[in-house]
Structures are given as structure tokens and as C-alpha cells.
């Protein structure tokens, strides 16, 4: 089992940037695909981005690609989500999650991930 802790959220003005971190512990982290999801009030949790355990393959929601970048540092057991040109509609709680199967096809559905962090709030003001 992987334990995950998100950080880096906060309040930012539209057009600003934030970098979220997902610190992991647990022996299966290095072989797990890691995803970022977000959930706005009254909405379902949605896929944002994910990265394969090797770090060489990424997947993004099409509408966010180009503004958001996911990366991972195996030495620090951490996955990052760099968010640029933030918009008010990016306001949500952001969660990272682990899929320990490390499949070649990165999953985009929450049900594929079995470990979740507690989330970090991102608020973008207009």
C-alpha cells in the first residue's frame, strides 16, 4: 500500500501558477502509476493527469494539456503537478492517487487507483 500526502495548494489570482506536490511512502510507490484528480463542489471527481511508474509516459485531460505538467522524482518519492495560467474554473480540491499495477496504459478513472491522499485545496480568484 502507498501512502500519499499532497501539498502546495492555496489561493492564487487568475493567470498565476502553483506547483502541487504528492509525497509518497510505501515500497510499491516506485512501481506505481500516479494520477492527479480534482473535485469541485457539486461535481464529480475528474482526471487531471497521470504519469507512469517509469516517469517516461504521461497522460493529460486534453483541455488541461499545455497548462499543466506532471513529473516525478523517484529519489524524493514525489510527484509534482505544475499548474500555469490558472483559471477560476480550476478551483477544486486536488488529489493524488496511486495505481500499484503500473500498467502500460495509464488509467484515467478513479476506480483504477487504490490509494489516495487527503487532497489540497486550490482556489483561483478572478
Amino acid at each position: 500500500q502507498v501512502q500519499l500526502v499532497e501539498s502546495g495548494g492555496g489561493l492564487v489570482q487568475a493567470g498565476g501558477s502553483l506547483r502541487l506536490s504528492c509525497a509518497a511512502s510505501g515500497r510499491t510507490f516506485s512501481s506505481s502509476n500516479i494520477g492527479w484528480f480534482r473535485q469541485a463542489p457539486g461535481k464529480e471527481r475528474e482526471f487531471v493527469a497521470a504519469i507512469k511508474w517509469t516517469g517516461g509516459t504521461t497522460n493529460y485531460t486534453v483541455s488541461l494539456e499545455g497548462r499543466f505538467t506532471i513529473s516525478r522524482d523517484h529519489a524524493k518519492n514525489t510527484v509534482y503537478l505544475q499548474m500555469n495560467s490558472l483559471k477560476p474554473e480550476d478551483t477544486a480540491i486536488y488529489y493524488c492517487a496511486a495505481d500499484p499495477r503500473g500498467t502500460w496504459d495509464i488509467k484515467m478513472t478513479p476506480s483504477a487507483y487504490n490509494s489516495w491522499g487527503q487532497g489540497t485545496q486550490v482556489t483561483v480568484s478572478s
Side-chain angles (χ1 to χ4, degrees), residues 37-41 45 90-95 118-122:
F37 294 79
R38 68 185 184 183
Q39 189 165 18
R45 191 166 298 190
D90 294 319
T91 295
I93 299 174
Y94 284 71
Y95 300 89
Q118 83 288 350
T120 185
Q121 176 71 48
V122 171

Side-chain angles (χ1 to χ4, degrees), residues 22-124:
C22 173
S25 59
R27 61 186 181 91
T28 60
F29 170 74
S30 62
S31 59
S32 296
N33 295 344
I34 302 296
W36 282 98
F37 294 79
R38 68 185 184 183
Q39 189 165 18
K43 295 187 177 181
E44 293 186 353
R45 191 166 298 190
E46 65 172 348
F47 175 80
V48 172
I51 188 166
K52 192 167 171 59
W53 66 273
T54 57
T57 302
T58 58
N59 198 1
Y60 297 89
T61 290
V62 172
S63 62
L64 299 177
E65 195 166 10
R67 295 196 296 123
F68 289 15
T69 303
I70 189 170
S71 61
R72 70 190 296 165
D73 185 334
H74 278 283
K76 296 183 178 179
N77 279 1
T78 301
V79 172
Y80 303 99
L81 184 68
Q82 178 68 43
M83 307 186 296
N84 299 326
S85 302
L86 283 163
K87 304 175 182 180
E89 52 264 42
D90 294 319
T91 295
I93 299 174
Y94 284 71
Y95 300 89
C96 64
D99 175 2
R101 297 168 299 175
T103 56
W104 68 270
D105 58 329
I106 300 173
K107 306 301 184 184
M108 300 173 63
T109 55
S111 60
Y113 296 78
N114 69 350
S115 297
W116 292 81
Q118 83 288 350
T120 185
Q121 176 71 48
V122 171
T123 303
V124 184

